[in-house]
Amino acid sequence: MDGQLGTNGEKSHDNEYEVGDNCLVPRLLNMFVELHPVNSSSGVSETEAKTSLKICAIKAGGMMSLAIDNRGTLWMWGNYPQQSKEGELALVSSFTPTPVRDFLGRSVVKVACGNEHIVALVSAGESYNGEDLECYSWGYNTRGQLGLGDRENRLHPEVVKTFDEESPYEVACGAYHTALLTRIKKSSSDTLDSTCWTFGLGDNGQLGHGTTQSTLFPTPVKELPQNVTLICVDCGLFHTSIVSSDGDVWSWGMEKGLGLCPDASRVGTDSGDALSPRLMSWKPNQPKFPDPVKLACGAAHTVIIAQGGYRMWSWGRGRSGVLGDGKGVDCYTPTLVQWPQMMDDSEEEEVKSDGEQDKAREKETEATTEAEEKLSSALNELKLLQTKLSVIKKYASILHGSVFGKPFDEQDIPDSLQNSGSFDMGKEWEKMLETADHRKLIRLEMFYRDMLAGVKDELMKRRIKEIVKECLQSSEV
């Protein structure tokens, strides 16, 4: 629709997989090699340049796509910030890959993009040989996501001067924020201590600075531990995650729907956005992921590859099965992705450990089921007791009304029964007679006189029946 497929409206032979301008299957970008500019300084002919073109890195975000080729040229297509027909910055759709000519004579090594901005790590020279990189940003800057100290938009790439003394080596973008990893330039130390910098929108704590304030300049995430080597950083729409070479993973930002930080059991004041980095644990009391390789963030979930590439863990919003754990529900702690794998002897122990965890989960499930059954039985008994209590209340009310001429009320319950739970009929009867007024006594007398007469009548009837029965038996004899 906005050119993010880079096909320029070309139709494929698989028409059954095309829906309007959308495509349901991967498409080859036929025009990609034709657009590659010839680098005259390299001595490579136009034919050789076309045939040797190789895509080394790709990135996508918002409604745009980016690629870096083997000559360090950055290509962009889709709906990305560029000059409009009026000469101003606008989100304009480009339906084929277009080279960014601002970096002519230099090599783009890393790139990332948000909804409306782009950040690139670029070499100082024409080729990249492992030297220090420079950070450039451009596009919309309404939230300070370019890190240039203001909120003015940029049509062309501009260097982020904060990193004059630091060498950036990883970059990632959220919807309206940016994260970078740097190390000190030309450090004489043997260690490769890293620093994580963030800037831009901070409403959900995605900057990790302990607040929800936005930042216009790159600012280090100070609550991360010192003397660590960070190997990867990535951003979701409103959260950030990083991983160290030792296997420690920290996440911060929006929590609800992402499961970034607090445990699933936390509610109320303990839930909400994580304003500072939280250490994620792949096992209870074992925070380090073994042999980490790569970490990636979706809009509202995170995935990490570890154990040398043989295992994956994921957490966050699990709807549509995005976590790959076979459940399709949100997960607030890392869960193992169901990935087919070939196991060797060194992995069997790990698998056994996972098997033990599965058994523990089964036992926990059985215990939960048993508890639910007991709870259901208790609820049924409670309903039965409530029914019986209702009948008793109705009976007591009728009886009380017959004796005292008014409906039964809670205040009519004797004090001894309320306070001690025991009831002395003789004492309560005497007490009731002493406190009763004349009218009440007359009513009681009438009630008991009628009741006594009824009893006498019933006794008389029974006695008459017995006499008749005896007479009948005598006459038969």
Side-chain angles (χ1 to χ4, degrees):
M1 183 182 297
D2 294 301
Q4 57 265 43
L5 297 184
T7 59
N8 197 24
E10 299 173 7
K11 295 294 183 181
S12 70
H13 298 295
D14 301 320
N15 293 327
E16 60 179 312
Y17 296 109
E18 295 185 0
V19 182
D21 294 329
N22 303 320
C23 187
L24 306 182
V25 296
R27 289 285 307 278
L28 177 66
L29 304 187
N30 295 319
M31 299 183 66
F32 196 93
V33 295
E34 299 173 7
L35 294 174
H36 189 270
V38 179
N39 189 341
S40 58
S41 63
S42 65
V44 180
S45 67
E46 182 176 355
T47 302
E48 291 174 331
K50 290 181 179 179
T51 57
S52 62
L53 180 66
K54 181 180 179 182
I55 302 161
C56 300
I58 56 172
K59 206 75 175 181
M63 300 293 289
M64 69 184 87
S65 302
L66 305 91
I68 302 174
D69 66 21
N70 56 330
R71 300 186 182 280
T73 302
L74 175 62
W75 301 76
M76 299 179 63
W77 63 97
N79 196 245
Y80 65 91
Q82 54 182 305
Q83 188 172 354
S84 65
K85 293 180 180 179
E86 293 75 21
E88 299 178 352
L89 179 70
L91 289 173
V92 181
S93 296
S94 176
F95 291 87
T96 55
T98 303
V100 179
R101 302 186 183 278
D102 297 84
F103 298 119
L104 187 64
R106 307 182 70 177
S107 180
V108 178
V109 180
K110 298 284 181 70
V111 68
C113 61
N115 284 8
E116 302 173 339
H117 74 291
I118 305 100
V119 182
L121 304 184
V122 185
S123 68
E126 185 173 328
S127 60
Y128 176 62
N129 298 308
E131 68 274 13
D132 294 332
L133 300 175
E134 296 179 344
C135 178
Y136 285 81
S137 61
W138 69 101
Y140 283 89
N141 192 31
T142 55
R143 308 302 176 90
Q145 60 264 46
L146 299 185
L148 300 174
D150 54 46
R151 297 180 185 272
E152 296 180 7
N153 302 327
R154 301 297 198 279
L155 178 60
H156 299 285
E158 186 170 325
V159 67
V160 181
K161 296 181 180 180
T162 302
F163 303 114
D164 287 346
E165 300 299 325
E166 301 275 340
S167 177
Y169 60 93
E170 288 288 338
V171 61
C173 294
Y176 302 101
H177 77 287
T178 305
L180 291 101
L181 302 182
T182 67
R183 58 175 65 96
I184 299 176
K185 288 184 177 180
K186 300 177 181 178
S187 175
S188 58
S189 173
D190 294 334
T191 62
L192 297 175
D193 295 346
S194 307
T195 302
C196 178
W197 306 71
T198 56
F199 46 94
L201 180 67
D203 287 359
N204 299 102
Q206 57 264 52
L207 302 184
H209 299 156
T211 70
T212 56
Q213 295 181 354
S214 299
T215 304
L216 305 181
F217 286 102
T219 304
V221 182
K222 296 181 179 179
E223 292 192 33
L224 288 171
Q226 302 296 318
N227 304 319
V228 295
T229 301
L230 304 174
I231 61 175
C232 185
V233 61
D234 205 5
C235 302
L237 290 178
F238 305 106
H239 77 285
T240 308
S241 296
I242 59 172
V243 60
S244 72
S245 58
D246 293 331
D248 290 319
V249 174
W250 294 271
S251 288
W252 58 91
M254 183 179 287
E255 181 243 320
K256 281 299 180 184
L258 295 174
L260 287 175
C261 303
D263 295 336
S265 59
R266 294 190 179 183
V267 295
T269 57
D270 290 333
S271 65
D273 298 336
L275 308 185
S276 301
R278 298 286 186 92
L279 186 64
M280 306 299 296
S281 297
W282 75 287
K283 277 185 178 181
N285 304 319
Q286 293 189 32
K288 294 184 184 297
F289 288 81
D291 194 10
V293 177
K294 187 76 173 177
L295 177 145
C297 294
H301 75 289
T302 304
V303 182
I304 181 174
I305 304 173
Q307 204 169 351
Y310 289 98
R311 291 291 180 90
M312 287 188 293
W313 286 264
S314 61
W315 61 93
R317 186 179 299 162
R319 301 157 206 179
S320 303
V322 71
L323 299 183
D325 60 353
K327 298 177 182 178
V329 296
D330 297 352
C331 187
Y332 287 76
T333 55
T335 181
L336 193 64
V337 176
Q338 294 183 4
W339 182 257
Q341 58 180 337
M342 296 179 63
M343 297 176 295
D344 54 25
D345 294 339
S346 63
E347 296 175 318
E348 288 182 359
E349 183 177 350
E350 180 64 30
V351 174
K352 289 180 181 178
S353 177
D354 290 338
E356 292 174 357
Q357 286 188 1
D358 292 338
K359 290 181 180 178
R361 292 192 188 98
E362 289 178 2
K363 290 182 179 179
E364 184 177 351
T365 302
E366 291 175 358
T368 302
T369 303
E370 184 180 354
E372 290 176 350
E373 291 176 352
K374 290 182 178 179
L375 178 60
S376 178
S377 177
L379 289 174
N380 291 332
E381 291 181 6
L382 179 61
K383 290 180 180 179
L384 182 60
L385 290 174
Q386 288 175 336
T387 302
K388 291 181 177 179
L389 179 61
S390 178
V391 173
I392 293 172
K393 282 184 176 180
K394 186 176 180 181
Y395 175 75
S397 180
I398 294 173
L399 183 60
H400 191 273
S402 300
V403 176
F404 299 104
K406 66 173 185 176
F408 177 77
D409 191 81
E410 188 174 348
Q411 65 183 8
D412 296 320
I413 299 175
D415 294 337
S416 61
L417 186 60
Q418 288 184 357
N419 299 329
S420 63
S422 61
F423 184 65
D424 189 330
M425 177 67 78
K427 288 184 179 180
E428 290 297 336
W429 177 253
E430 291 178 1
K431 184 177 179 181
M432 188 270 292
L433 291 177
E434 290 175 359
T435 57
D437 56 19
H438 182 72
R439 183 180 178 183
K440 191 173 184 179
L441 289 173
I442 295 297
R443 181 173 182 84
L444 285 173
E445 182 183 15
M446 293 176 61
F447 173 77
Y448 283 105
R449 185 182 295 169
D450 293 341
M451 188 169 62
L452 182 59
V455 172
K456 288 181 177 180
D457 289 344
E458 182 63 28
L459 290 173
M460 181 63 71
K461 289 178 183 178
R462 293 184 182 182
R463 180 57 184 159
I464 291 172
K465 286 181 181 180
E466 291 175 357
I467 293 171
V468 171
K469 187 177 180 180
E470 290 175 359
C471 291
L472 291 174
Q473 288 176 351
S474 299
S475 61
E476 288 177 358
V477 172

